[in-house]
Amino acid sequence: MDQIGDIIPAAIQPGNIDDSLKAKTCERCGAEIIPIRIGLLSKTILRYPPCQCEIERERLQEEERQKVEQRKRVERLFQNSGLGPRHQSCTLESFKRLPGTEAAFRAAEYYAGNLLENVKDGRGLLLFGPPGNGKTHLAAAITGLAIRRGLTVILERVPKLLLKIRSTYNEGSRTSESELMRALTQADLLILDDAGAEKWTQWTEPTLYTIIDERYSYEKALIITTNSSLEELEEKIGDRAMDRVLEMCEIVENRGKSYRKMIAEGKR
């Protein structure tokens, strides 16, 4: 069914406005509303069009309805936006700022500090470096903040994500590939964690390209973490996908040592 805001503007042509008739005042915003003449078959009727504030109110309500539906869809496909129990409590404040992690922390902190603007403008972040030095922690911290700000976010390890997409091909699957891809495209923020850890196949490369290209085409924000070097990552996801990532994302290396190795050494 068409919305009021879609129908009325078409009727409000310069010749239809009758400023000789008595205008009324909008009770909400106080704006003047002038009646219009609408031709219906052989009759001409006079109607007061909705005020612009009413049209804007309906537009915002529709946007909110779509956001709620989007959040429900993402929650159904990616429980808790993909945050596992280990990373649900990650924050920037709890990040261990060890030597070598300074640049990655500053980049994450700046991104989080300008989160809404970055998401709106489709700006992203690529954190690369050795495993275990907190890249996922920073990504999870941004995810938690984005959720609290009312954004729709998906954080998923790339190998797990590809398995999830493949599972839609199984007979009897309750989720279709198109549903997953739509969620990955429409989410306000997508975080591809541990990119490059997936086994390369003739299927994985074009699939990742499609996800990245859709985000690129719709100017949607993308964050990527990887243990690979930039050259290794390009080999895994392909030069076309990498070309888009380099344009979309700020590239930051995390040179910190592995927390996990440090903890293991401390237990010996």
Side-chain angles (χ1 to χ4, degrees), residues 180-227:
L180 278 177
M181 298 302 281
R182 185 166 62 250
L184 293 168
T185 299
Q186 294 179 349
D188 296 317
L189 176 61
L190 173 63
I191 300 177
L192 298 178
D193 186 40
D194 209 8
E198 69 282 357
K199 181 180 179 181
W200 185 92
T201 69
Q202 291 184 334
W203 176 82
T204 58
E205 183 176 324
T207 300
L208 286 173
Y209 170 75
T210 299
I211 294 170
I212 292 170
D213 183 59
E214 286 292 292
R215 302 293 297 182
Y216 176 82
S217 297
Y218 287 94
E219 297 183 326
K220 292 283 194 171
L222 175 68
I223 294 178
I224 296 177
T225 74
T226 180
N227 298 330

Side-chain angles (χ1 to χ4, degrees), residues 76-78 164-170 172-181:
R76 178 173 63 85
L77 298 172
F78 301 90
K164 190 187 292 283
I165 295 173
R166 270 192 180 280
S167 70
T168 64
Y169 305 157
N170 298 334
S173 173
R174 300 177 65 179
T175 303
S176 68
E177 181 184 19
S178 61
E179 279 185 290
L180 278 177
M181 298 302 281

Side-chain angles (χ1 to χ4, degrees), residues 55-245:
I55 294 173
E56 178 66 10
R57 187 174 71 88
E58 286 194 0
R59 185 187 68 81
L60 293 175
Q61 287 178 341
E62 177 61 17
E63 282 188 359
E64 183 58 30
R65 184 190 66 79
Q66 292 180 5
K67 286 181 180 179
V68 170
E69 288 185 357
Q70 187 183 66
R71 280 195 289 269
K72 289 180 179 178
R73 183 164 56 248
V74 167
E75 184 62 27
R76 178 173 63 85
L77 298 172
F78 301 90
Q79 189 174 17
N80 201 34
S81 296
L83 280 175
R86 183 179 293 276
H87 294 110
Q88 288 181 21
S89 60
C90 287
T91 64
L92 292 175
E93 291 73 21
S94 64
F95 181 74
K96 295 180 174 60
R97 298 167 64 177
L98 299 178
T101 65
E102 296 88 354
F105 178 79
R106 283 196 303 269
E109 185 179 45
Y110 182 79
Y111 193 93
N114 300 274
L115 181 64
L116 298 182
E117 294 86 348
N118 286 326
V119 169
K120 179 182 177 182
D121 295 338
R123 288 193 289 267
L125 188 62
L126 169 60
L127 300 176
F128 73 100
N133 61 10
K135 298 182 295 298
T136 299
H137 181 118
L138 294 173
I142 294 173
T143 299
L145 177 62
I147 292 172
R148 292 192 293 275
R149 294 286 182 87
L151 299 177
T152 305
V153 195
I154 298 172
L155 183 153
E156 196 70 273
R157 291 185 66 251
V158 172
K160 182 181 176 183
L161 175 61
L162 293 173
L163 286 175
K164 190 187 292 283
I165 295 173
R166 270 192 180 280
S167 70
T168 64
Y169 305 157
N170 298 334
E171 185 176 351
S173 173
R174 300 177 65 179
T175 303
S176 68
E177 181 184 19
S178 61
E179 279 185 290
L180 278 177
M181 298 302 281
R182 185 166 62 250
L184 293 168
T185 299
Q186 294 179 349
D188 296 317
L189 176 61
L190 173 63
I191 300 177
L192 298 178
D193 186 40
D194 209 8
E198 69 282 357
K199 181 180 179 181
W200 185 92
T201 69
Q202 291 184 334
W203 176 82
T204 58
E205 183 176 324
T207 300
L208 286 173
Y209 170 75
T210 299
I211 294 170
I212 292 170
D213 183 59
E214 286 292 292
R215 302 293 297 182
Y216 176 82
S217 297
Y218 287 94
E219 297 183 326
K220 292 283 194 171
L222 175 68
I223 294 178
I224 296 177
T225 74
T226 180
N227 298 330
S228 304
S229 66
L230 298 182
E231 293 76 14
E232 291 168 340
L233 182 62
E234 182 172 350
E235 289 181 5
K236 284 294 186 74
I237 68 174
D239 57 349
R240 293 187 303 162
M242 191 66 181
D243 185 62
R244 285 156 175 72
V245 168

